């Protein structure tokens, strides 16, 4: 299958071959790529929509030096995870699914990094299970602290109505602008768009001001200065108003879809400093 070959091609970019683990649960089989010291603190990585767990190839070397990394293929989205006919239908189901992933790490509490849609999942889980999350990192979280730009939504609409490789590429190339996207990863995303079933995802609602103010975990929000999904300054202001203790970093020369790949060195420095600090 083209998708499996494309997936493996990106996985070869990881600094070491990860251990592929399939977790069976009520909603299906969740595929997780695992690497790093077995006796270190678990770190769960949740990718953006359609990106798959392979997208962290520029980050796992830095992160797996001091964390046991669990990179997840989101159930219902592109990747090697397979729903079993009982799809997740609510945020409660999503939290149950996340609980099962944390359980597989063998730890009561984990750190979590989520990007885009993965950040929405990570934030919802931290709000519902603050006792299970130590440190939380949200990479350019959309629809979590502020709305998305109308211009982006209009650009994304043709892809949502009738997905195709060409429409996926046009949207990514427009949003990332001058950023250089890895060609193998871009091919994987395109194949996932055309060859796999449409995503069947639970989308958490944007949390209320009250819920965000009550968030009781250590939080880092990393924003893409050049992103076209939302306004980084607006999101930054919203985070600081609602969660004053949160750390906010804005990366230059980064777009919504190019994080975590560009600028990887700067992002890795920020992530390691936060997680180890």
């Amino acid at each position: 299958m083209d998708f499996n070959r494309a997936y493996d091609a990106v996985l070869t970019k990881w600094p070491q071959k990860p251990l592929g683990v399939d977790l069976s649960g009520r909603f299906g089989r969740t595929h997780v790529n695992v690497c790093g010291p077995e006796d270190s603190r678990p770190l769960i990585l949740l990718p953006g929509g359609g990106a798959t767990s392979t997208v962290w190839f520029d980050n796992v070397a830095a992160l797996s030096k001091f964390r046991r990394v669990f990179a997840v293929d989101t159930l219902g989205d592109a990747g090697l995870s397979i729903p079993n006919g009982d799809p997740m239908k609510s945020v409660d189901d999503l939290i149950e699914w996340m609980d099962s992933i944390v359980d597989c790490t063998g730890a009561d509490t984990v750190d979590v990094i989520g990007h885009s849609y993965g950040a929405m999942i990570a934030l919802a889980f931290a709000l519902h299970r603050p006792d299970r999350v130590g440190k939380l990192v949200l990479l350019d979280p959309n629809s979590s602290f502020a709305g998305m730009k109308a211009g982006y939504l209009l650009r994304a609409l043709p892809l949502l109505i009738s997905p195709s490789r060409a429409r996926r590429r046009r949207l990514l190339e427009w949003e990332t602008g001058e950023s250089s996207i890895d060609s193998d990863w871009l091919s994987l995303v395109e194949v996932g768009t055309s060859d796999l079933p449409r995503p069947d995802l639970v989308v958490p609602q944007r949390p209320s001001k009250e819920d965000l103010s009550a968030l009781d975990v250590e939080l880092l929000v990393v924003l893409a200065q050049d992103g076209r999904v939302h306004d980084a300054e607006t999101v930054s202001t919203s985070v600081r108003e609602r969660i004053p203790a949160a750390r906010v970093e804005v990366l230059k020369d980064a777009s919504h879809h190019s994080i975590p790949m560009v600028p990887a060195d700067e992002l890795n420095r920020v992530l390691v400093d936060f997680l180890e600090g």
Side-chain angles (χ1 to χ4, degrees):
M1 179 181 178
D2 285 344
F3 180 81
N4 287 345
R5 286 196 295 270
Y7 187 101
D8 289 342
V10 181
L11 208 57
T12 62
K13 298 175 183 292
W14 283 40
Q16 64 186 78
K17 184 178 180 180
L19 173 66
V21 178
D22 291 313
L23 308 176
S24 296
R26 183 162 73 94
F27 305 109
R29 190 182 72 198
T30 300
H31 187 78
V32 185
N33 285 307
V34 185
C35 62
E38 293 185 21
D39 59 349
S40 58
R41 182 176 176 83
L43 173 64
I44 293 175
L45 305 181
L46 301 173
T52 80
S53 63
T54 67
V55 73
W56 307 99
F57 57 87
D58 274 335
N59 315 109
V60 289
L63 297 174
S64 63
K65 287 181 179 179
F66 60 95
R67 289 287 191 276
R68 183 69 165 171
V69 171
F70 296 80
V72 180
D73 280 338
T74 305
L75 195 61
D77 199 4
L80 302 186
S81 295
I82 302 175
N84 66 359
D86 184 16
M88 293 182 282
K89 298 178 181 179
S90 67
V91 172
D92 286 342
D93 290 344
L94 197 63
I95 301 306
E96 179 182 337
W97 173 71
M98 278 294 297
D99 272 330
S100 69
I101 297 171
V102 176
D103 289 343
C104 92
T105 70
D108 294 328
T109 304
V110 300
D111 297 330
V112 184
I113 299 176
H115 168 229
S116 189
Y117 174 64
M120 297 175 71
I121 298 175
L123 179 57
F125 185 66
L127 288 168
H128 284 78
R129 297 284 192 271
D131 57 318
R132 306 211 74 179
V133 179
K135 294 188 176 184
L136 174 64
V137 180
L138 306 178
L139 303 182
D140 216 48
N142 51 301
S143 301
S144 297
F145 299 95
M148 300 169 70
K149 289 182 176 179
Y152 177 83
L153 294 173
L154 287 173
R155 289 269 185 168
L157 188 59
L159 177 65
L160 296 174
I161 294 174
S162 181
S164 70
R165 297 189 188 193
R167 286 176 173 174
R168 173 71 75 176
R169 177 179 286 268
R170 281 198 296 270
L171 179 65
L172 289 174
E173 289 183 341
W174 168 77
E175 199 281 323
T176 57
E178 298 299 321
S179 298
S180 178
I181 307 177
D182 183 86
S183 59
D184 289 326
W185 178 80
L186 182 57
S187 294
L188 170 63
V189 175
E190 290 176 356
V191 174
T193 301
S194 62
D195 292 10
L196 299 183
R198 286 197 180 196
D200 187 11
L201 306 175
V202 175
V203 180
Q205 291 186 341
R206 190 190 311 173
S208 67
K209 293 180 181 179
E210 293 73 22
D211 286 342
L212 289 172
S213 298
L215 183 65
D216 189 24
V217 300
E218 292 187 64
L219 174 64
L220 166 66
V221 178
V222 183
L223 301 173
Q225 186 179 64
D226 298 333
R228 295 183 172 185
V229 171
H230 47 226
D231 181 73
E233 184 176 349
T234 300
V235 177
S236 176
T237 299
S238 178
V239 174
R240 296 181 191 280
E241 288 177 349
R242 289 160 175 72
I243 313 173
R247 174 176 168 182
V248 180
E249 297 279 350
V250 180
L251 297 187
K252 297 179 179 179
D253 303 320
S255 72
H256 178 80
H257 290 290
S258 70
I259 289 180
M261 295 171 284
V262 181
D265 289 344
E266 178 63 14
L267 174 60
N268 291 338
R269 181 194 65 77
V270 171
L271 294 178
V272 171
D273 181 66
F274 174 74
L275 293 171
E276 288 293 271

